[in-house]
Every structure is written in C-alpha cells, then in structure tokens.
Amino acid sequence: MPTTAPVIDVIIPAYNEEESIALVVKELPAGLIRDIIVCNNNSSDDTAAVARAAGATVVDEKRAGYGSACLRGMAHIALRPEAEWPDIVVFIDGDHSDYPEQLPEVVAPILNNGADLVIGSRATGDLEPGSMQPQQIFGNWLATSLIKLIYGIEFTDLGPFRAIRYPALRELGMEDPDFGWTVEMQVRAAKAGMNCVEVPVRYRKRIGVSKISGTVRGTFLAGHKILWTIFKLI
C-alpha cells in the first residue's frame, strides 16, 4: 500500500432503499473515503434522489440483481484514468443493517497486515436478535463449510460488508449478476491464493423488508444460486 493516505471508494448496491440509504451514506466516515457510489438498481422509489441529496455519486443499473448493481459500481470506477483508480474498494448494503462507522475496522487488515480481501463477519460479531433469519444462518454455515471443504480456506460468513484491494478485485473477474455475488468473490479469491481474512462486525435489523430473506421464493433462489456458484467454480 502507498505511504500516503489510501484512496478508498465505497460501492452500495441499492434497490428501493429510500428510507435507509441516506443513513448509510452519512454514517460512513467521510474523511477516509474519496467517493461513495450508490448503484441504483432500477428502484421504483426515490432511492436515487435521496442518495444524491446525502452526498453520494449515483449510477443507474436497470438490469435487476445484486451483482449487477455491484458490477455497475465497478464499471464506474474503471472509467477513471488508471492513475486515479482507488487502492481499496469497500462494499456495504444500503439497508442500514451494517454499521458504516466500522469501515476503519474492515479496511485495517489491508492497511496493516497485507490482506487482499476482508469479510465483515456477522457470525463472529455482534448479531442483533432477529437481524438474520434461521435459514440465513444455516445457509451461511453450509456455504462456508463447503468452501472450506472444497477450497481449503475458512470463512464464517458471506457478509455484504467487505473490503478488497482494487487490483485484487480486478484480477478476480467478477461476473455473477445476482445472489451469487458474495460467494463468487470469496471462492475466486480462495482459488487465486489471495490473503483473505475476517473481522467481526455488528449487524442489526434492516430498514424495510429484505428482497431475499423476506420471501420464501427469494430465500430458495438465493440458496440455490449460492450453492451452484460454489460448485461451478471448482
């Protein structure tokens, strides 16, 4: 990492998060961040306007899907001249379930210990009762157990709050457009032999209803896609 202050950009995928997005943007430690990019994933509410008013850069992605929104944020960063690319990219959800003020803790292993990828682990952190459904907890356990078995690297969570060195992110070749995004990143990093670590993070009940765990169909589709992604990358 450079001896000067690292350049950190934040990507926030957001679909109908007008009630929460301003809180997430404003609670990120502004002094550490160059740009906060809210990827408006074809929202039908005022997510984009609220995020822009809170000080974020807003880009639009009409193709539905969590991964599609994240890829759009990455594409926005890549449009900068290479000399202006960031050192670190942080991903965080727009529903205020994560604690944005923990960003320094999430990037610390990259800055201090040479990590490539840092996952904010809800499993080892402070989990507010009811913030994760039983099927989410079980799904995380199953997915991380399979990653350890197949790829030989230990994770405890597929948490959305994560940081990665920008050169490493480009190297991964991310492509999943929806539910498999987080696990794809971890599996690709494991296969590439990257230095992956976890830090405990706090997690609370989200604002609004989850588009995934809030419905039986969403939970089933997400679980199926996560498992399929783990096996397809072998």
Side-chain angles (χ1 to χ4, degrees), residues 132-185:
M132 289 183 69
Q133 299 301 313
Q135 63 268 26
Q136 288 178 281
I137 295 171
F138 173 76
N140 265 339
W141 172 83
L142 178 59
T144 54
S145 296
L146 287 171
I147 292 173
K148 182 179 180 181
L149 179 66
I150 298 170
Y151 300 103
I153 188 167
E154 187 166 357
F155 292 108
T156 63
D157 196 5
L158 307 178
F161 197 3
R162 53 185 59 206
I164 184 169
R165 290 190 311 106
Y166 186 60
L169 179 60
R170 290 178 61 83
E171 181 184 333
L172 291 182
M174 294 292 296
E175 58 185 25
D176 192 277
D178 46 53
F179 306 126
W181 170 269
T182 55
V183 72
E184 180 192 21
M185 184 182 292

Side-chain angles (χ1 to χ4, degrees), residues 117 147 151 153 155 172 182-192 229-231 233-234:
L117 171 64
I147 292 173
Y151 300 103
I153 188 167
F155 292 108
L172 291 182
T182 55
V183 72
E184 180 192 21
M185 184 182 292
Q186 287 165 250
V187 168
R188 288 188 182 277
K191 289 186 67 176
T229 301
I230 290 172
F231 286 108
L233 293 173
I234 294 178

